[in-house]
Amino acid sequence: MKKVILTGDRPTGKLHLGHYVGSLKNRVKLQNSNEYDMYVFIADLQALTDNARNPEKIRNSLMEVALDYLAVGLDPEKTTFFVQSQIPELTELTMHYMNLVTLARLKRNPTIKTEIKERGFGEAVPVGFLTYPISQAADITAFKANLIPVGEDQLPLIEQCKEIVHAFNNLYGNILVEPQAVLADNKVCIRLPGIDGKAKMSKSLGNCIYLSDDTETVKKKVMSMYTDPNHIKVEDPGKVENNTVFTYLEAFATDEDFKKYLPEYKNLEELKAHYKRGGLGDVKVKKFLFQILEDLLEPMRKKRAYYQEHLDLVYKMLEDGSKKARLVAQNTLKEVRDAIGINYFNKN
Ligand code: ATP
Ligand code: MG
């Protein structure tokens, strides 16, 4: 049997470069290897846990995320796309797993802690938000997923899922499958910083370059990026550590890009050395980054525009995928109910 890959995104806005290098790029690669059974889903229920008062935002973002998927090369011929809310079995699984997790454990989750702080929830955190790691475990285990391509912030959530799998299997028998996170190979890609230099590019922090941004917007954003604040004149020696433009070059630049746009340097190491010595201006480095990003984003814009004109195809893809995925989740839920012994009226 093929190994199963599953990942999702919250429909809280369009997808950005952090999603691309942290997870989407890996997904496309794994999809095209044809070695896996792949599910990609839009986590609308999870997005509602901190947006319950703003459901239009979630509804509107659903299509944006689906278009981004198609734009980066995820392909409905090879991958099953589904919408979380269309699979009620996930909610029942969540209910069963809730009995296996303590409140103290949820409150200790470092990702949740950071997100509660970022959102200013304090003690007023919605119960649904605090417990979303449990619902995420339901998403993963319903499909018996083996591999989860994610950014670094998701590691504590995968850990929580593993604990649930162990607790469940110990209690009720070997039903659930333990997942494994797949991180990007490149260290800077597991948590790409925002254009403001902040720790993480994130929709919620408003420091993103979106995959669907037009040329002018990308140019403006790149030109405004955080660099070394002490590198004022071209002759000044500059720092490349915590210099977002260089971090992005580490994430995106290849030696081919140097050949094409900056043949006077062989690779990033040579460019960095010049910047550190002094005599290399921010504008030149930023222009180089802009060209690389344009080469990446332009084909995505074209694909996105095509599907934007054919939204009926996109809706159908989500609907068909949700139906197909639901059958799988139904099967797992049946096994779970049987294992717990709440199958009172089953004839078999
Ligand atoms: P929100 O602010 O609504 O939480 P987000 O920008 O954090 O949105 P998610 O939908 O929570 O995006 O994340 C989807 C996937 O993308 C996850 O696997 C996450 O780890 C990954 N990801 C998100 N931001 C980054 C980033 N800056 N660098 C690397 N991976 C990222
Ligand atoms: Mg997030």
Side-chain angles (χ1 to χ4, degrees):
M1 232 169 59
K2 280 185 173 177
K3 282 198 168 173
V4 177
I5 298 183
L6 175 129
T7 42
D9 304 273
R10 293 156 40 93
T12 48
K14 299 173 176 189
L15 299 183
H16 53 63
L17 288 177
H19 296 123
Y20 182 72
V21 293
S23 174
L24 292 168
K25 194 173 162 193
N26 242 340
R27 291 184 220 177
V28 175
K29 197 171 109 200
L30 293 165
Q31 166 195 272
N32 292 339
S33 77
N34 286 324
E35 283 174 36
Y36 304 95
D37 228 353
M38 179 128 137
Y39 295 89
V40 171
F41 74 103
I42 304 183
D44 57 341
L45 291 182
Q46 187 187 119
L48 281 166
T49 63
D50 55 335
N51 290 283
R53 282 167 185 77
N54 198 1
E56 311 80 58
K57 174 170 135 192
I58 307 308
R59 204 182 9 243
N60 296 336
S61 302
L62 182 94
M63 196 35 75
E64 298 293 348
V65 172
L67 288 169
D68 285 328
Y69 285 162
L70 293 162
V72 299
L74 289 172
D75 175 356
E77 297 283 322
K78 300 180 181 161
T79 290
T80 306
F81 297 92
F82 70 88
V83 182
Q84 190 186 26
S85 61
Q86 303 309 301
I87 311 213
E89 287 72 18
L90 298 176
T91 316
E92 184 177 330
L93 283 176
T94 306
M95 184 87 188
H96 296 306
Y97 299 164
M98 281 192 166
N99 304 328
L100 306 177
V101 181
T102 66
L103 184 59
R105 176 67 184 91
L106 288 173
K107 285 186 171 169
R108 246 192 355 256
N109 184 317
T111 297
I112 303 296
K113 266 194 192 162
T114 310
E115 290 180 345
I116 288 178
K117 212 183 264 158
E118 276 170 10
R119 287 158 178 74
F121 281 147
E123 283 298 304
V125 56
V127 173
F129 187 80
L130 189 67
T131 55
Y132 91 67
I134 304 177
S135 116
Q136 195 162 311
D139 304 331
I140 294 170
T141 55
F143 298 91
K144 306 209 168 159
N146 306 98
L147 303 175
I148 320 289
V150 285
E152 195 183 34
D153 61 324
Q154 293 293 308
L155 293 180
L157 294 147
I158 306 292
E159 219 28 64
Q160 173 70 83
C161 179
K162 285 185 189 174
E163 285 175 26
I164 290 174
V165 169
H166 291 163
F168 186 95
N169 286 352
N170 281 337
L171 270 171
Y172 303 117
N174 232 351
I175 307 279
L176 304 180
V177 172
E178 180 178 304
Q180 201 188 318
V182 183
L183 292 177
D185 305 333
N186 185 339
K187 213 174 89 228
V188 299
C189 295
I190 62 177
R191 196 182 58 191
L192 192 76
I195 53 172
D196 54 359
K198 290 226 177 85
K200 180 174 173 279
M201 181 179 284
S202 162
K203 285 171 274 180
S204 309
L205 301 175
N207 56 7
C208 307
I209 294 178
Y210 292 98
L211 301 178
S212 49
D213 277 347
D214 62 25
T215 302
E216 270 318 297
T217 310
V218 174
K219 191 181 238 166
K220 252 195 237 139
K221 287 182 179 174
V222 171
M223 290 303 164
S224 76
M225 267 169 81
Y226 181 83
T227 58
D228 171 5
N230 298 317
H231 183 248
I232 297 161
K233 289 192 268 71
V234 173
E235 316 80 82
D236 293 341
K239 262 180 39 190
V240 296
E241 295 80 32
N242 301 323
N243 181 323
T244 319
V245 179
F246 279 93
T247 309
Y248 280 32
L249 285 177
E250 280 189 32
F252 295 100
T254 62
D255 293 355
E256 293 307 306
D257 292 319
F258 278 94
K259 259 191 216 137
K260 196 164 158 198
Y261 296 118
L262 283 184
E264 61 270 41
Y265 305 93
K266 242 204 245 99
N267 52 35
L268 187 54
E269 287 321 302
E270 285 191 15
L271 189 75
K272 278 184 180 172
H274 190 183
Y275 192 81
K276 286 198 254 187
R277 272 198 314 275
L280 175 58
D282 279 350
V283 171
K284 182 166 175 178
V285 188
K286 284 179 170 175
K287 277 192 176 151
F288 177 47
L289 174 62
F290 166 69
Q291 277 161 324
I292 296 172
L293 293 181
E294 273 297 285
D295 284 352
L296 176 73
L297 297 176
E298 184 51 25
M300 293 186 194
R301 291 185 194 118
K302 289 215 173 83
K303 271 202 204 145
R304 202 176 202 278
Y306 171 82
Y307 283 106
Q308 197 124 34
E309 293 295 308
H310 298 83
L311 287 183
D312 48 330
L313 287 182
V314 188
Y315 276 109
K316 185 155 167 34
M317 163 188 106
L318 293 177
E319 194 181 350
D320 290 352
S322 298
K323 277 191 193 139
K324 184 175 157 203
R326 190 169 179 197
L327 296 176
V328 181
Q330 276 169 339
N331 212 23
T332 305
L333 180 61
K334 182 178 178 308
E335 289 181 296
V336 162
R337 284 173 154 240
D338 286 350
I340 302 176
I342 48 171
N343 50 355
Y344 315 114
F345 309 121
N346 284 1
K347 294 278 182 297
N348 52 1

